[in-house]
Amino acid sequence: MTPALTASAFDSLRIDAVPDQEALRRVYELPSDAAVRKQMTELTEQTRQLIGCSSLVLVASVDAEGNCDVSPRGGPAGFVAVLDARTVAIPDATGNKRLDTLQNVIATGRAGLLFIIPGRTTTLRMNGRACVSTRPDLLSQLTAVGKPPASALVLGIDEVYPHCPKSLLRSGAWKPEQWLPADAQPTSAEVTLAQLRMPELTIADIEQAEADSLKYRYE
């Protein structure tokens, strides 16, 4: 028999959590007119330029059962292609091959994007319909990493709006003097080793595997 899982803090906090949207709204003031008005259904020249400056995009997706996922996509500035005022395409560079995001998009046809520009506190949020394309004429345009990708995530824009910069300002993300020193956090290899739960592996094994994978990071 599988042992019962110990209750977590979440299980306790869920008991008296905010029950509905009306109760949630009572905790906050209404958004400003500008916060509502700046949401659009297509790109402006300025938001096109922001996408062209972005080298990092966070992709949010959900599967048919409602399980959520957020995954990063990166490349040279402008690696995300603007196909028209209501469509963007993200080339899928080779990663861990789990395909969580792409499988979710195929299951639900939806995705959300957050474009980040290094050194800037401006971000751009985008939500909409999504699909996975392997059409050769599209992939041949998406060669930011040196060759056409195996597929592309295509988003049809339903909502696009610049996001408030406060979170990046609070985080000090672009201020090296506020960054934690390397020895204040576990290394990538230490994190991976703990996750794998394979006693026969060592830190050296993981570090070598990471070094080998980075040799081919753009393929």
Side-chain angles (χ1 to χ4, degrees):
M1 179 180 297
T2 302
L5 294 175
T6 303
S8 68
F10 175 82
D11 297 309
S12 173
L13 292 167
R14 183 172 59 176
I15 295 172
D16 59 352
V18 178
D20 53 45
Q21 294 183 20
E22 291 183 2
L24 177 65
R25 180 47 67 186
R26 288 195 293 270
V27 181
Y28 294 89
E29 296 178 356
L30 290 173
S32 68
D33 290 342
V36 175
R37 184 177 177 81
K38 69 181 180 180
Q39 178 177 317
M40 297 181 65
T41 58
E42 61 183 33
L43 298 172
T44 63
E45 179 57 35
Q46 290 71 26
T47 51
R48 284 176 179 254
Q49 290 178 24
L50 285 178
I51 293 170
C53 294
S54 176
S55 58
L56 177 63
V57 182
L58 306 183
V59 184
S61 61
V62 62
D63 69 15
E65 285 72 48
N67 299 301
C68 299
D69 181 76
V70 178
S71 179
R73 296 290 188 273
F79 78 103
V80 175
V82 176
L83 303 183
D84 60 38
R86 298 194 63 185
T87 315
V88 299
I90 305 175
D92 190 66
T94 300
N96 56 24
K97 301 182 179 65
R98 285 177 51 114
L99 307 183
D100 296 319
T101 298
L102 300 183
Q103 291 179 138
N104 288 351
V105 165
I106 289 172
T108 65
R110 305 289 300 179
L113 309 180
L114 179 64
F115 291 87
I116 298 174
I117 303 169
R120 288 283 304 275
T121 56
T122 300
T123 58
L124 187 68
R125 291 173 63 174
M126 189 181 295
N127 302 308
R129 299 161 296 142
C131 66
V132 178
S133 177
T134 57
R135 187 180 295 181
D137 61 336
L138 170 63
L139 301 184
S140 66
Q141 303 175 48
L142 307 178
T143 57
V145 297
K147 66 177 184 179
S151 71
L153 190 161
V154 181
L155 188 99
I157 300 170
D158 291 335
E159 303 172 342
V160 57
Y161 46 102
H163 189 69
C164 170
K166 290 179 181 178
S167 59
L168 287 180
L169 288 170
R170 292 180 182 128
S171 71
W174 312 127
K175 297 181 178 180
E177 67 273 15
Q178 295 184 20
W179 296 349
L180 293 174
D183 59 5
Q185 54 189 300
T187 67
S188 173
E190 289 170 338
V191 173
T192 298
L193 185 63
Q195 292 290 117
L196 289 176
R197 295 156 292 169
M198 298 173 65
E200 68 274 17
L201 292 178
T202 67
I203 288 289
D205 294 330
I206 303 300
E207 290 175 341
Q208 185 60 57
E210 289 182 345
D212 291 342
S213 69
L214 290 176
K215 290 179 183 177
Y216 310 104
R217 62 191 181 278
Y218 295 133
E219 294 188 0

